[in-house]
């Protein structure tokens, strides 16, 4: 199964700012299979086809990864290259610690 790993994983934004890394063709296939039907477009279908062909050995893993990255960019789920900074800060004023 190690021959099906990508050279570098594809980081995606899932949920409310959570990061998920896709590191293999099997993970890519699983993610695409569970992708919502309403948001499936041409780039989705290209990624699915590239994944299937790469699993069969007809195309290189890098080509499948590239198709997956294009799909993720178009869907707006590709994790940004610069890590986002998420900060929460307690507020001391108002009632019960909340800003009034």
């Amino acid at each position: 199964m190690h021959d099906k790993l990508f050279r570098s994983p594809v980081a995606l934004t899932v949920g409310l700012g959570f990061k998920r890394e896709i590191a293999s063709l099997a993970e890519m296939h699983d993610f695409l299979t569970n992708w919502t039907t309403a948001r499936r477009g041409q780039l989705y279908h290209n990624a699915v086809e590239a994944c299937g062909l790469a699993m069969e050995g007809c195309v290189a893993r890098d080509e499948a990864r590239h198709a997956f990255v294009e799909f993720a960019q178009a869907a707006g789920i590709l994790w940004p290259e610069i890590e986002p900074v998420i900060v929460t800060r307690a507020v001391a004023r108002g009632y019960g610690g909340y800003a009034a």
Side-chain angles (χ1 to χ4, degrees), residues 22-40:
I22 306 297
S24 69
L25 289 174
E27 290 177 6
M28 177 180 164
H29 181 267
D30 181 54
F31 183 85
L32 291 171
T33 301
N34 294 317
W35 184 249
T36 180
T37 308
R39 295 189 61 199
R40 294 181 180 182

Side-chain angles (χ1 to χ4, degrees), residues 63-80:
E63 291 180 44
R65 184 186 182 280
H66 180 71
F68 187 59
V69 169
E70 285 183 344
F71 155 73
Q73 284 176 330
I77 60 170
L78 192 63
W79 188 263

Side-chain angles (χ1 to χ4, degrees), residues 5-11 22-24 62 65 69:
L5 293 174
F6 297 139
R7 288 189 181 147
S8 63
V10 178
I22 306 297
S24 69
D62 289 338
R65 184 186 182 280
V69 169

Side-chain angles (χ1 to χ4, degrees), residues 1-6 23-27 55 61:
M1 186 51 122
H2 293 290
D3 60 332
K4 304 292 184 188
L5 293 174
F6 297 139
S24 69
L25 289 174
E27 290 177 6
M55 286 180 149
R61 288 170 295 162

Side-chain angles (χ1 to χ4, degrees), residues 25 49-64:
L25 289 174
E49 183 177 358
C51 182
L53 289 172
M55 286 180 149
E56 294 172 3
C58 298
V59 299
R61 288 170 295 162
D62 289 338
E63 291 180 44

Side-chain angles (χ1 to χ4, degrees), residues 88-100:
T88 58
R89 192 175 301 164
V91 178
R93 62 179 186 259
Y95 298 97
Y98 296 100

